[in-house]
Amino acid sequence: MRALWIILRKELLDAFRDRRMLLVAFVVIPLAIPLVLAGTNALSARKQTRQLEGPLELPVIGAERAPNLVAWLQSHNVKVLPAPRDADAAVRTQERDVVLRIDEKYGEDWRSGRPASVEVIFDSSRPLASGATVARLGGLLDGYSSTVGTLRLVARGIHPAVANPLQVGTRDVATPEARFDLSQQILPYLLLLLAFIGGLQLAVDATAGERERQSLEPLLATPVARESIISAKILATAVFSLLSIAVTLIAYRLVFAVVPARGMDASFNLGPGGLLQLFLIILPIVLLGATVLTALAAFARSYREAQGYLPLLMFLPMIPSLVLMVAPVRTQLWMLAVPFLSQNQMIVRVLRSERISALDWAVSLGASFAVVGVVWWIAARLYHREQLATSS
Amino acid sequence: MIRVEGLRKSFQTRTGRVQAVDGVSFVAADGQITGLLGPNGAGKTTTLRMLYTLMSPDSGRVLVDGLDAASEPTRVRACLGVLPDARGIYKRLTARENIAYFGALHGLDARLIAERTERVVSALEMRDFIDRRAEGFSQGQRTKTAIARALVHAPRNVLLDEPTNGLDVMTTRSLRNFLLEQRAAGRCMLLSSHIMQEVARLCDRIVVIAHGHVVADGTPDELRESTGCANLEDAFVKAIGSDEGLFA
């Protein structure tokens, strides 16, 4: 126990004298994560505002065939543009979000009271880029259609309600915190990634690096048990990651306190309680990451080989997020027993200000800590290999 | 005292099994410097590694002060001071911190560590770099730091793998005097070397190893006598069977 504490202290001292490691863990990451989130959030807010409230730029093919419709659109904040030579190509290359084509027989149909054709040309494979604009145009066209329809019924002496057998109303039960937003998609992944591989530098330095610098052999020649050595290195890695995460969360809070942009997602305004919950949720992932990294570094023959596993490790915390993105399902208790998936769900719940029951906490923390225990045991076994100190 | 009986160790390599140590037996007594002499690749480092329990022998046994290294590795390591072939020290720590770290791992308290460090600093002339970070240390400074940290817990038995490797004349001199002091204090010193002159100068007893075997064992005088050569150098060449590696 005493040896464990001595090694832990020395590894942290060693790490805190490594300026590059400090810079990454306590300046670059804590600044990068909130700034990236704030940046993307501001961008999407601006785009939304522009798409919904700015003038809608709309090239119209055959505008002269429907002067009333065009005038009506213009009076509803639509800027009618001349038609491009090839409308399909213009939409496909994203030169235009949407193009309106007015049928050749529009005037004829209109006058004889048949439904007159207009065509909305858009690209459904780009819902994020043009979806809002397309929907806005659709709404305008529906509005024009029903206005004219109503007038026609009135002109024939029929009450307009006759043509509306159903009145559909909607009510959104989402709380402000639970509204779908960007941070709910990105933040869980970023946090898990940081928790899982934030200690990479230290773990690799403390095991593969120590062997490469040939200081592992003298250490193993001391009476300290190898279990204590590896446990101390795992704990040092975990403590370092936790400090980095704590600084990141505080920076996150500060950044969003300073730049409360208009239309900011509610979940960016986590209170200290929420931050503490996030911290507790990812604690097992920090330990799991520290253990896996240390085990890998003990297994790898060199510093470079150890770092070669990085892409694989970055992918692991991504899997549950990807699965949930493709097939969103309701949270079930067993999911909370699966590391990463569990933390992902828990983080989203904290961001949505949902209540987390004691059972959920117990399952999430218990199962993840059990996995940590197993990997820890494997790492300790690896540390007993004879080649550990000598194969360099 | 260190007693080695019939040590064997082989390694699996890509080209097949290599028998690195093949039946090595010797005794290193207290108050003596015992030299393990042999050409490069003779099995010296592997033998020492089995002594400080980094590797376990395929057969044979190691007794350090009567303790069996196989059954009580922790207690054996506690009564050994080791300068391994790998001399790595922590470059972001000062020499003093490097030494203190190992003292603490051997269970020493801070006061004792400071006292011992003071003593070794003057014995090995480390005054001018003891509080500097190890980044950029010369080979001599690194070796001195490594020796100091190996001896900070005042072990009864000291294992030194090629201690003078890469050191200049002045450093070698101060190291040699230091080793003689340790001997006078009654320690059991075992050092390995491939440099004949050095072993001849320092050691009370010489164990010559070649190809994993002990080919000669005795005082310098006994070696001269048994090989019938008046000159030690000739005696070594004769014992080893060739002059490969001896003068590297």
Side-chain angles (χ1 to χ4, degrees), chain A residues 22-98:
Chain A
L22 286 186
L23 193 72
V24 170
F26 296 107
V27 179
V28 176
I29 291 178
L31 283 182
I33 288 186
L35 288 182
V36 164
L37 282 177
T40 47
N41 196 67
L43 258 179
S44 82
R46 220 181 64 191
K47 187 173 163 67
Q48 241 174 17
T49 315
R50 209 190 46 203
Q51 281 184 340
L52 294 182
E53 290 158 28
L56 197 166
E57 294 194 343
L58 179 69
V60 180
I61 302 169
E64 69 287 348
R65 294 176 204 132
N68 285 332
L69 172 61
V70 170
W72 190 84
L73 286 175
Q74 276 167 333
S75 71
H76 284 81
N77 203 13
V78 175
K79 196 174 161 203
V80 174
L81 302 176
R85 194 167 315 213
D86 183 348
D88 290 17
V91 172
R92 208 170 281 135
T93 57
Q94 288 184 280
E95 194 187 320
R96 295 289 170 208
D97 284 342
V98 61

Side-chain angles (χ1 to χ4, degrees), chain A residues 17 205 210 217 222 386, chain B residues 9 52 56 77 90 97:
Chain A
R17 285 191 183 164
D205 199 70
E210 173 143 86
E217 193 170 335
T222 64
E386 202 159 80
Chain B
K9 181 76 181 174
Y52 56 82
S56 43
R77 288 201 299 269
Y90 301 106
E97 286 166 340

Side-chain angles (χ1 to χ4, degrees), chain A residues 216-235:
Chain A
L216 187 58
E217 193 170 335
L219 181 62
L220 295 179
T222 64
V224 180
R226 292 195 179 189
E227 282 81 5
S228 302
I229 297 178
I230 192 163
S231 300
K233 286 174 185 291
I234 289 171
L235 286 177

Side-chain angles (χ1 to χ4, degrees), chain A residues 2-3 6-11 13-15 17-19 21 205 210 213-226 233 385-386 389-390, chain B residues 9 11 49 52-56 74 77-78 80 82 84-94 97 101-109 133 149:
Chain A
R2 202 181 105 95
I6 293 166
I7 299 174
L8 172 64
R9 227 176 32 192
K10 179 257 155 193
E11 293 298 348
L13 175 69
D14 211 340
R17 285 191 183 164
D18 185 342
R19 254 191 239 132
M21 212 190 288
D205 199 70
E210 173 143 86
R213 289 191 303 271
Q214 307 205 311
S215 53
L216 187 58
E217 193 170 335
L219 181 62
L220 295 179
T222 64
V224 180
R226 292 195 179 189
K233 286 174 185 291
R385 297 191 319 162
E386 202 159 80
T390 53
Chain B
K9 181 76 181 174
F11 298 108
R49 280 177 170 169
Y52 56 82
T53 75
L54 189 74
M55 293 177 170
S56 43
T74 309
R77 288 201 299 269
L80 282 177
V82 183
D85 179 38
R87 306 257 202 272
I89 52 177
Y90 301 106
K91 57 180 199 245
R92 288 189 287 270
L93 304 188
T94 65
E97 286 166 340
Y101 180 43
F102 277 71
L105 290 178
H106 275 282
L108 272 51
D109 63 43
R133 290 202 191 163
R149 100 181 148 187

Side-chain angles (χ1 to χ4, degrees), chain B:
Chain B
M1 188 172 76
I2 297 171
R3 180 183 290 276
V4 172
E5 293 170 358
L7 277 193
R8 275 173 214 283
K9 181 76 181 174
S10 62
F11 298 108
Q12 187 67 50
T13 65
R14 221 168 293 174
T15 49
R17 277 201 100 69
V18 172
Q19 192 71 37
V21 175
D22 193 8
V24 166
S25 305
F26 61 86
V27 174
D30 289 345
Q32 284 199 347
I33 299 180
T34 306
L36 217 50
L37 180 72
N40 293 325
K44 303 185 297 286
T45 295
T46 305
T47 302
L48 289 179
R49 280 177 170 169
M50 286 189 278
L51 289 184
Y52 56 82
T53 75
L54 189 74
M55 293 177 170
S56 43
D58 297 338
S59 64
R61 62 178 191 155
V62 173
L63 295 173
V64 178
D65 289 344
L67 297 168
D68 190 329
S71 55
E72 301 194 74
T74 309
R75 286 180 68 191
V76 163
R77 288 201 299 269
C79 57
L80 282 177
V82 183
L83 175 72
D85 179 38
R87 306 257 202 272
I89 52 177
Y90 301 106
K91 57 180 199 245
R92 288 189 287 270
L93 304 188
T94 65
R96 190 187 295 282
E97 286 166 340
N98 268 288
I99 297 167
Y101 180 43
F102 277 71
L105 290 178
H106 275 282
L108 272 51
D109 63 43
R111 200 183 46 81
L112 196 56
I113 292 173
E115 200 182 294
R116 296 260 174 80
T117 306
E118 230 15 73
R119 219 180 305 162
V120 79
V121 160
S122 48
L124 284 172
E125 294 161 26
M126 299 171 67
R127 188 78 56 202
D128 53 335
F129 65 86
I130 183 72
D131 285 312
R132 248 173 54 200
R133 290 202 191 163
E135 176 112 64
F137 270 17
S138 71
Q139 174 118 21
Q141 291 168 330
R142 277 207 302 273
T143 303
K144 282 178 173 180
T145 308
I147 291 175
R149 100 181 148 187
L151 298 180
V152 64
H153 59 295
R156 301 262 317 131
N157 306 277
V158 180
L159 307 179
L160 305 162
D161 199 352
E162 313 249 0
T164 58
N165 224 2
L167 300 187
D168 62 24
V169 181
M170 288 309 292
T171 316
T172 306
R173 263 174 80 95
S174 68
L175 178 60
R176 198 182 297 139
N177 292 333
F178 181 71
L179 294 182
L180 292 172
E181 272 170 40
Q182 298 291 312
R183 177 179 71 174
R187 300 219 164 112
C188 165
M189 315 280 288
L190 177 64
L191 63 88
S192 81
S193 178
H194 61 271
I195 303 164
M196 183 216 50
Q197 291 86 342
E198 177 179 294
V199 171
R201 233 178 132 152
L202 266 174
C203 297
D204 304 294
R205 192 170 187 88
I206 300 173
V207 178
V208 183
I209 297 187
H211 307 298
H213 301 279
V214 173
V215 292
D217 182 357
T219 63
D221 286 341
E222 285 170 356
L223 279 183
R224 262 176 241 141
E225 219 167 279
S226 68
T227 54
C229 303
N231 171 316
L232 255 186
E233 189 173 306
D234 293 337
F236 288 135
V237 171
K238 191 155 182 193
I240 290 165
S242 80
D243 56 1
E244 72 174 305
L246 262 190
F247 309 101

